[in-house]
Amino acid sequence: MVDKHIPDNTLLYLDNVTVSFDGFKALNNLSFLINQCELRAIIGPNGAGKSTMMDVITGKTRPDTGEVLFNQGSTRLSGGSIDLTRQDEAEVANLGIGRKFQKPSVIESLTVWENLELALKGRRSPFESIFKALSKEGFKKIEKTLSRIRLQDRRDFAGASLSHGQKQWLEIGMLLLQDPELLLIDEPAAGMTDEETFRTADLLRELSEERSVVVVEHDMAFIKALDCKVMVLHEGSVLAEGSLDHVQQNQKVIDVYLGR
Ligand SMILES: Nc1ncnc2c1ncn2[C@@H]1O[C@H](COP(=O)(O)OP(=O)(O)O)[C@@H](O)[C@H]1O
Ligand SMILES: [Mg+2]
């Protein structure tokens, strides 16, 4: 627990975070805040440090310098924050930070419902836990999640039968069952149809009503549909931030990213 005072509605706080790989700074004095129930889009050229930033938040990579604080619900009450640089990946997940990688980890031979059931019960022993009875609350929670991720009519279909977009939604649903306060999502729209892309933007906007969502993407139509604050990363720091219109007019952003 850290005593440092950060604004009350801040959920995630990064200050002067630097990560070097063999002297190359993948993150270079990166600082930003994410508010509670904020939806934030992050864009930037390949190599800008977007994935490294997520690695630092999730305890996968330790920064050389800088602070990464998480103002989790229970600690907000006591006025302290959690220093994420001192947690490992499992601890960060347990604190309520869910991360979705590009490649879905849905189990193809199980149905949509079974995948959600597993995510709810924990993955320690999949084949044992799938036969353990589900509580009434658990059942309701899965039903609510199914409708959230728009897969009610696919509940008894095998994971393998889902489209790429539906697999991504299922994976988001699996994360939601852990009740994260912060969801980190890397390039969800890649490989989706236009319709799936817009439905995903709607889904993430809905989800941010109850938790913060940070999404990295290159698809500008998707970013526009998210209709949220955009942050442009370049060479490991924030190059610009604001509305999409605002950053699209920034000459530096055009030079390093949009104009390419
Ligand atoms: N484990 C690593 N070892 C060495 N260099 C790395 C490592 N991870 C990332 N990098 C380098 O750090 C920079 C930022 O990478 P990354 O965070 O993946 O960028 P982005 O996700 O924005 O494309 C890149 O130049 C990449 O080659
Ligand atoms: Mg990346």
Side-chain angles (χ1 to χ4, degrees):
M1 213 58 146
V2 183
D3 242 348
K4 174 162 185 148
H5 190 75
I6 57 181
D8 277 348
N9 63 339
T10 301
L11 182 66
L12 179 71
Y13 171 99
L14 272 77
D15 189 39
N16 269 304
V17 173
T18 296
V19 171
S20 309
F21 296 113
D22 302 322
F24 171 80
K25 287 183 176 169
L27 297 182
N28 190 3
N29 287 317
L30 177 63
S31 303
F32 66 90
L33 303 177
I34 302 290
N35 290 325
Q36 288 164 44
C37 296
E38 180 179 354
L39 175 59
R40 173 77 58 92
I42 298 184
I43 61 176
N46 283 330
K50 304 180 296 294
S51 297
T52 304
M53 170 210 74
M54 289 198 176
D55 291 344
V56 163
I57 296 167
T58 53
K60 191 174 175 196
T61 299
R62 300 259 168 254
D64 305 333
T65 59
E67 282 185 302
V68 185
L69 303 179
F70 185 52
N71 220 351
Q72 193 209 25
S74 59
T75 61
R76 273 202 296 278
L77 295 172
S78 59
S81 305
I82 294 168
D83 179 353
L84 292 179
T85 69
R86 291 169 179 276
Q87 318 288 323
D88 66 27
E89 283 183 88
E91 288 166 335
V92 170
N94 284 331
L95 286 169
I97 299 182
R99 178 178 192 178
K100 204 192 99 43
F101 292 92
Q102 248 175 288
K103 195 169 168 286
S105 66
V106 165
I107 300 179
E108 305 244 320
S109 59
L110 296 182
T111 65
V112 167
W113 181 275
E114 288 165 343
N115 270 284
L116 291 169
E117 209 175 315
L118 260 188
L120 181 70
K121 291 170 172 173
R123 286 189 164 223
R124 248 166 294 162
S125 171
F127 296 99
E128 185 186 320
S129 61
I130 203 78
F131 294 115
K132 215 174 73 188
L134 191 61
S135 68
K136 201 170 167 188
E137 299 86 74
F139 191 86
K140 280 194 179 147
K141 211 170 158 185
I142 296 180
E143 285 204 312
K144 187 179 158 206
T145 303
L146 257 183
S147 77
R148 259 282 152 93
I149 59 174
R150 295 124 166 91
L151 291 178
Q152 300 102 307
D153 61 344
R154 288 287 177 276
R155 60 185 287 163
D156 298 321
F157 285 57
S161 72
L162 301 178
S163 72
H164 173 73
Q166 290 171 331
K167 279 183 193 163
Q168 303 281 331
W169 300 336
L170 175 53
E171 174 126 334
I172 289 170
M174 289 159 70
L175 287 172
L176 288 175
L177 289 167
Q178 304 298 322
D179 297 320
E181 284 190 60
L182 174 63
L183 265 184
L184 304 172
I185 305 188
D186 211 348
E187 300 195 31
M192 284 191 181
T193 63
D194 286 353
E195 201 212 327
E196 286 175 339
T197 298
F198 289 115
R199 291 185 75 163
T200 304
D202 282 347
L203 170 62
L204 298 186
R205 277 194 287 117
E206 274 171 39
L207 296 183
S208 68
E209 288 166 13
E210 291 173 35
R211 62 189 67 69
S212 303
V213 179
V214 173
V215 51
V216 167
E217 214 3 290
H218 288 289
D219 183 328
M220 284 300 146
F222 173 76
I223 302 275
K224 190 174 164 62
L226 287 177
D227 190 24
C228 67
K229 184 168 173 182
V230 178
M231 184 166 98
V232 185
L233 272 193
H234 176 55
E235 295 178 347
S237 10
V238 178
L239 183 67
E241 62 181 347
S243 67
L244 180 60
D245 284 345
H246 173 81
V247 302
Q248 278 179 323
Q249 286 163 23
N250 181 308
Q251 192 57 47
K252 289 182 290 186
V253 176
I254 294 169
D255 291 345
V256 306
Y257 184 55
L258 296 172
R260 284 196 182 168

PDB file of all heavy atoms in Angstrom, residues 21 24 26 45-52, ligand 1:
ATOM      1  N   PHE A  21      15.333  -1.941 -22.781  1.00  0.00           N
ATOM      2  CA  PHE A  21      15.795  -3.253 -23.228  1.00  0.00           C
ATOM      3  C   PHE A  21      17.164  -3.034 -23.865  1.00  0.00           C
ATOM      4  O   PHE A  21      17.248  -2.394 -24.908  1.00  0.00           O
ATOM      5  CB  PHE A  21      14.835  -3.853 -24.252  1.00  0.00           C
ATOM      6  CG  PHE A  21      13.459  -4.152 -23.720  1.00  0.00           C
ATOM      7  CD1 PHE A  21      12.353  -3.452 -24.161  1.00  0.00           C
ATOM      8  CD2 PHE A  21      13.270  -5.146 -22.756  1.00  0.00           C
ATOM      9  CE1 PHE A  21      11.077  -3.740 -23.684  1.00  0.00           C
ATOM     10  CE2 PHE A  21      11.993  -5.438 -22.264  1.00  0.00           C
ATOM     11  CZ  PHE A  21      10.904  -4.729 -22.729  1.00  0.00           C
ATOM     12  N   PHE A  24      17.808   0.408 -24.971  1.00  0.00           N
ATOM     13  CA  PHE A  24      16.762   1.036 -25.784  1.00  0.00           C
ATOM     14  C   PHE A  24      15.533   1.274 -24.913  1.00  0.00           C
ATOM     15  O   PHE A  24      15.050   0.364 -24.244  1.00  0.00           O
ATOM     16  CB  PHE A  24      16.415   0.126 -26.963  1.00  0.00           C
ATOM     17  CG  PHE A  24      15.206   0.591 -27.724  1.00  0.00           C
ATOM     18  CD1 PHE A  24      15.315   1.616 -28.653  1.00  0.00           C
ATOM     19  CD2 PHE A  24      13.958   0.011 -27.497  1.00  0.00           C
ATOM     20  CE1 PHE A  24      14.195   2.060 -29.344  1.00  0.00           C
ATOM     21  CE2 PHE A  24      12.843   0.448 -28.190  1.00  0.00           C
ATOM     22  CZ  PHE A  24      12.959   1.472 -29.106  1.00  0.00           C
ATOM     23  N   ALA A  26      11.986   1.419 -24.370  1.00  0.00           N
ATOM     24  CA  ALA A  26      10.675   1.064 -24.922  1.00  0.00           C
ATOM     25  C   ALA A  26       9.600   1.972 -24.324  1.00  0.00           C
ATOM     26  O   ALA A  26       8.631   2.335 -24.982  1.00  0.00           O
ATOM     27  CB  ALA A  26      10.362  -0.395 -24.637  1.00  0.00           C
ATOM     28  N   PRO A  45       2.355   4.208 -33.613  1.00  0.00           N
ATOM     29  CA  PRO A  45       3.018   3.315 -34.570  1.00  0.00           C
ATOM     30  C   PRO A  45       3.534   2.035 -33.912  1.00  0.00           C
ATOM     31  O   PRO A  45       3.679   1.976 -32.686  1.00  0.00           O
ATOM     32  CB  PRO A  45       4.185   4.156 -35.106  1.00  0.00           C
ATOM     33  CG  PRO A  45       4.371   5.268 -34.136  1.00  0.00           C
ATOM     34  CD  PRO A  45       3.051   5.495 -33.472  1.00  0.00           C
ATOM     35  N   ASN A  46       3.830   1.036 -34.715  1.00  0.00           N
ATOM     36  CA  ASN A  46       4.455  -0.190 -34.191  1.00  0.00           C
ATOM     37  C   ASN A  46       5.742   0.175 -33.477  1.00  0.00           C
ATOM     38  O   ASN A  46       6.495   1.024 -33.952  1.00  0.00           O
ATOM     39  CB  ASN A  46       4.765  -1.156 -35.332  1.00  0.00           C
ATOM     40  CG  ASN A  46       3.507  -1.858 -35.806  1.00  0.00           C
ATOM     41  OD1 ASN A  46       2.571  -2.069 -35.021  1.00  0.00           O
ATOM     42  ND2 ASN A  46       3.462  -2.183 -37.082  1.00  0.00           N
ATOM     43  N   GLY A  47       5.958  -0.451 -32.336  1.00  0.00           N
ATOM     44  CA  GLY A  47       7.169  -0.174 -31.581  1.00  0.00           C
ATOM     45  C   GLY A  47       7.057   1.027 -30.652  1.00  0.00           C
ATOM     46  O   GLY A  47       8.018   1.375 -29.962  1.00  0.00           O
ATOM     47  N   ALA A  48       5.874   1.650 -30.591  1.00  0.00           N
ATOM     48  CA  ALA A  48       5.701   2.849 -29.760  1.00  0.00           C
ATOM     49  C   ALA A  48       5.759   2.540 -28.265  1.00  0.00           C
ATOM     50  O   ALA A  48       5.992   3.434 -27.450  1.00  0.00           O
ATOM     51  CB  ALA A  48       4.375   3.526 -30.091  1.00  0.00           C
ATOM     52  N   GLY A  49       5.507   1.266 -27.902  1.00  0.00           N
ATOM     53  CA  GLY A  49       5.541   0.899 -26.492  1.00  0.00           C
ATOM     54  C   GLY A  49       4.186   0.511 -25.923  1.00  0.00           C
ATOM     55  O   GLY A  49       4.043   0.326 -24.712  1.00  0.00           O
ATOM     56  N   LYS A  50       3.207   0.327 -26.800  1.00  0.00           N
ATOM     57  CA  LYS A  50       1.842   0.059 -26.321  1.00  0.00           C
ATOM     58  C   LYS A  50       1.763  -1.263 -25.549  1.00  0.00           C
ATOM     59  O   LYS A  50       1.195  -1.320 -24.458  1.00  0.00           O
ATOM     60  CB  LYS A  50       0.863   0.045 -27.509  1.00  0.00           C
ATOM     61  CG  LYS A  50       0.907   1.335 -28.325  1.00  0.00           C
ATOM     62  CD  LYS A  50      -0.061   1.327 -29.491  1.00  0.00           C
ATOM     63  CE  LYS A  50       0.200   0.288 -30.561  1.00  0.00           C
ATOM     64  NZ  LYS A  50       1.464   0.484 -31.313  1.00  0.00           N
ATOM     65  N   SER A  51       2.328  -2.312 -26.123  1.00  0.00           N
ATOM     66  CA  SER A  51       2.269  -3.607 -25.423  1.00  0.00           C
ATOM     67  C   SER A  51       3.148  -3.588 -24.176  1.00  0.00           C
ATOM     68  O   SER A  51       2.774  -4.171 -23.135  1.00  0.00           O
ATOM     69  CB  SER A  51       2.691  -4.742 -26.351  1.00  0.00           C
ATOM     70  OG  SER A  51       1.800  -4.838 -27.438  1.00  0.00           O
ATOM     71  N   THR A  52       4.278  -2.922 -24.246  1.00  0.00           N
ATOM     72  CA  THR A  52       5.152  -2.819 -23.071  1.00  0.00           C
ATOM     73  C   THR A  52       4.424  -2.099 -21.928  1.00  0.00           C
ATOM     74  O   THR A  52       4.544  -2.486 -20.759  1.00  0.00           O
ATOM     75  CB  THR A  52       6.456  -2.080 -23.434  1.00  0.00           C
ATOM     76  OG1 THR A  52       7.071  -2.759 -24.530  1.00  0.00           O
ATOM     77  CG2 THR A  52       7.416  -2.029 -22.257  1.00  0.00           C
TER      78      THR A  52
HETATM   79  N1  LIG B   1      11.351  -8.232 -24.387  1.00  0.00           N
HETATM   80  C1  LIG B   1      11.888  -7.314 -25.210  1.00  0.00           C
HETATM   81  N2  LIG B   1      13.221  -7.298 -25.458  1.00  0.00           N
HETATM   82  C2  LIG B   1      13.755  -6.373 -26.263  1.00  0.00           C
HETATM   83  N3  LIG B   1      13.064  -5.403 -26.877  1.00  0.00           N
HETATM   84  C3  LIG B   1      11.739  -5.374 -26.681  1.00  0.00           C
HETATM   85  C4  LIG B   1      11.067  -6.312 -25.836  1.00  0.00           C
HETATM   86  N4  LIG B   1       9.738  -6.020 -25.822  1.00  0.00           N
HETATM   87  C5  LIG B   1       9.594  -4.947 -26.619  1.00  0.00           C
HETATM   88  N5  LIG B   1      10.768  -4.552 -27.124  1.00  0.00           N
HETATM   89  C6  LIG B   1      10.990  -3.393 -28.007  1.00  0.00           C
HETATM   90  O1  LIG B   1      10.369  -2.279 -27.392  1.00  0.00           O
HETATM   91  C7  LIG B   1       9.730  -1.467 -28.350  1.00  0.00           C
HETATM   92  C8  LIG B   1       8.264  -1.317 -28.014  1.00  0.00           C
HETATM   93  O2  LIG B   1       7.619  -2.533 -28.277  1.00  0.00           O
HETATM   94  P1  LIG B   1       6.051  -2.745 -28.023  1.00  0.00           P
HETATM   95  O3  LIG B   1       5.715  -2.317 -26.656  1.00  0.00           O
HETATM   96  O4  LIG B   1       5.757  -4.137 -28.400  1.00  0.00           O
HETATM   97  O5  LIG B   1       5.416  -1.733 -29.087  1.00  0.00           O
HETATM   98  P2  LIG B   1       3.934  -1.671 -29.690  1.00  0.00           P
HETATM   99  O6  LIG B   1       3.078  -2.607 -28.917  1.00  0.00           O
HETATM  100  O7  LIG B   1       3.540  -0.233 -29.561  1.00  0.00           O
HETATM  101  O8  LIG B   1       4.072  -2.050 -31.126  1.00  0.00           O
HETATM  102  C9  LIG B   1       9.968  -2.117 -29.702  1.00  0.00           C
HETATM  103  O9  LIG B   1      11.090  -1.481 -30.315  1.00  0.00           O
HETATM  104  C10 LIG B   1      10.298  -3.554 -29.343  1.00  0.00           C
HETATM  105  O10 LIG B   1      11.148  -4.126 -30.303  1.00  0.00           O
END
